[in-house]
Amino acid sequence: MIHDHAVALRDRLVEHRRTIHRHPELAWCEHRTAAYIESVLSNLGIEHRRVLGTGVVAVIEGRGQGCVGVRADMDALPVPEAPGRDGYRSENEGVSHACGHDAHVATVLGLAELLAGQAELPGTVVLYFQPAEEGGGGAEPMVADGVLDDPAPDAIMALHTASNHPAGTVAMRSGPVTSAVDDITVTFHGIGGHAAHPDRAIDPVPVAANFITNSQQIITREIDPLKPAVITFGSIHGGTRHNVIAPSVTLEATMRSLYPDTRDYLVERIQQMAHATATANRTSATVSIERGYPAGYNDSALTQLVHTAARSICGDEYVTVEEHPSMGAEDFFAFGDTGIPVCMFRLGVGNASRGITAPHHSSHFDIDESSLPAGVAVFAESIRRLLTGDTLLTTTD
Ligand SMILES: [Zn+2]
Ligand SMILES: [Zn+2]
């Protein structure tokens, strides 16, 4: 029944998704997206309020005691959209929904319509439309703003589109799901000069090169090989031309890890490594660290419930357990840092036969919209189970 209702919403889901897709907005600027969400909720007669400028919280009250939360992130990326997408191309030059958050909002708006149409909702459902997931960290201030206080959800779910999973499939895992992320910026200060006379200058370029290779030793020689960690240098800048020794070189790297002890170790050691490499080579280093999102963990009992719900919606063969966590980061889990069980599942949106395979954050990223009803239905079936007595067992992770 729930599945049929969700499939009946298909055209509206596509309309929501394409409307938002045409008007992508960057973190903390989701004004038009928020206004669209509000207009859809108002038309459905659902009570809602703004938070943090561009966030929207909606409450659908039912008759039971239970309360379930569902979160959708709303922001787009500063990624220019590749040509194509007839009829729903981004109208905001240089900005696009290259992570699928347009689809996240669309499925939760579809869920709102499905729930609003139910004669008897056996509990309360709260919808959190969250700004600024892409590095803006919107979840934490939203929680700090008190959105979980009244009504207080017993569990919170979210989905993330996955273009590397086929449309019609759902995947999830319990325990670690996403990585902690910390960014480091290092500048090595030398003394500039003529390239023909390195002895009269202090060249920071080879120092930077040493630092890049030295830092990988932290990963391969110092971290437990069974605890994943990544250091990637995404940017290196120094110098102006081939025959001038640069006075300084600046590098930017991201560090990813799944466990708190690995995270703390990486942050401490890379700073030591930067200063030690600088000193050993007669330069000095300025180092700054920006702590990002912590690692995300899916509650095992809630994930089991969502998994069972997804199997009943999609069919057993279309629901998989993800073997590994992702080293990507996600701020949804700030909702779970309060102790409320959370679960994020992946909704397959890829379709190789239609050429929909581009990775997230790419200019070519797109989704197979036929996947959207499944997202709505998995949410709705999980909510039904949570509100009608499939109680969560005490969790151990
Ligand atoms: Zn993203
Ligand atoms: Zn995303």
Side-chain angles (χ1 to χ4, degrees), residues 24-360:
E25 295 172 301
L26 295 174
W28 299 119
C29 301
E30 306 92 337
H31 300 284
R32 187 175 179 141
T33 309
Y36 181 76
I37 291 166
E38 287 172 328
S39 75
V40 173
L41 294 170
S42 294
N43 287 338
L44 293 169
I46 295 171
E47 176 199 329
H48 56 81
R49 68 180 196 276
R50 280 276 182 125
V51 294
L52 302 175
T54 52
V56 179
V57 176
V59 180
I60 309 169
E61 252 181 271
R63 293 200 311 161
Q65 291 296 310
C67 179
V68 181
V70 179
R71 171 273 205 175
D73 43 6
M74 306 156 64
D75 56 329
L77 284 157
V79 172
E81 194 162 60
R85 296 165 186 74
D86 256 2
Y88 61 99
R89 200 173 158 66
S90 166
E91 294 173 19
N92 189 359
E93 191 64 35
V95 180
S96 66
H97 268 292
C99 202
H101 299 184
D102 50 348
H104 303 175
V105 173
T107 49
V108 177
L109 288 177
L111 175 70
E113 182 168 350
L114 188 150
L115 296 174
Q118 282 186 3
E120 278 190 14
L121 188 63
T124 296
V125 176
V126 193
L127 310 176
Y128 305 102
F129 295 93
Q130 180 214 305
E133 191 283 326
E134 296 288 359
E140 204 177 298
M142 212 167 165
V143 171
D145 200 55
V147 299
L148 303 181
D149 296 343
D150 185 23
D154 309 312
I156 307 174
M157 294 180 286
L159 66 75
H160 205 297
T161 48
S163 64
N164 57 333
H165 293 264
T169 67
V170 166
M172 68 196 80
R173 76 189 314 278
S174 57
V177 183
T178 56
S179 164
V181 55
D182 299 298
D183 292 334
I184 181 168
T185 303
V186 179
T187 300
F188 290 106
H189 305 278
I191 297 175
H194 196 296
H197 306 293
D199 52 307
R200 298 178 208 164
I202 298 181
D203 187 354
V205 168
V207 185
N210 278 340
F211 174 60
I212 292 170
T213 44
N214 288 347
S215 66
Q216 296 304 325
Q217 300 237 37
I218 302 174
I219 303 294
T220 63
R221 302 293 82 192
E222 300 183 29
I223 301 277
D224 181 343
L226 297 177
K227 289 185 167 179
V230 176
I231 298 175
T232 295
F233 287 86
S235 147
I236 173 165
H237 290 284
T240 50
R241 52 177 291 147
H242 57 278
N243 62 352
V244 175
I245 289 177
S248 67
V249 175
T250 298
L251 307 100
E252 293 177 331
T254 186
M255 295 178 285
R256 308 292 172 112
S257 55
L258 292 183
Y259 298 95
D261 57 340
T262 319
R263 182 184 194 192
D264 292 341
Y265 187 86
L266 278 177
V267 166
E268 193 186 325
R269 273 294 287 144
I270 197 156
Q271 293 181 81
Q272 286 175 355
M273 188 74 86
H275 289 297
T277 306
T279 306
N281 294 285
R282 302 179 300 152
T283 57
S284 63
T286 47
V287 181
S288 67
I289 297 270
E290 196 179 321
R291 300 279 277 197
Y293 301 153
Y297 296 86
N298 270 349
D299 177 84
S300 62
L302 178 60
T303 305
Q304 185 59 49
L305 181 143
V306 177
H307 194 265
T308 307
R311 288 211 317 268
S312 78
I313 294 291
C314 303
D316 289 353
E317 65 272 40
Y318 297 105
V319 182
T320 54
V321 174
E322 282 185 293
E323 194 178 355
H324 301 295
S326 162
M327 296 310 281
E330 164 64 57
D331 80 339
F332 163 64
F333 295 94
F335 286 93
D337 289 347
T338 53
I340 298 170
V342 296
C343 173
M344 168 172 272
F345 63 89
R346 296 191 193 281
L347 178 70
V349 296
N351 188 334
S353 67
R354 293 180 49 204
I356 304 174
T357 55
H360 291 251

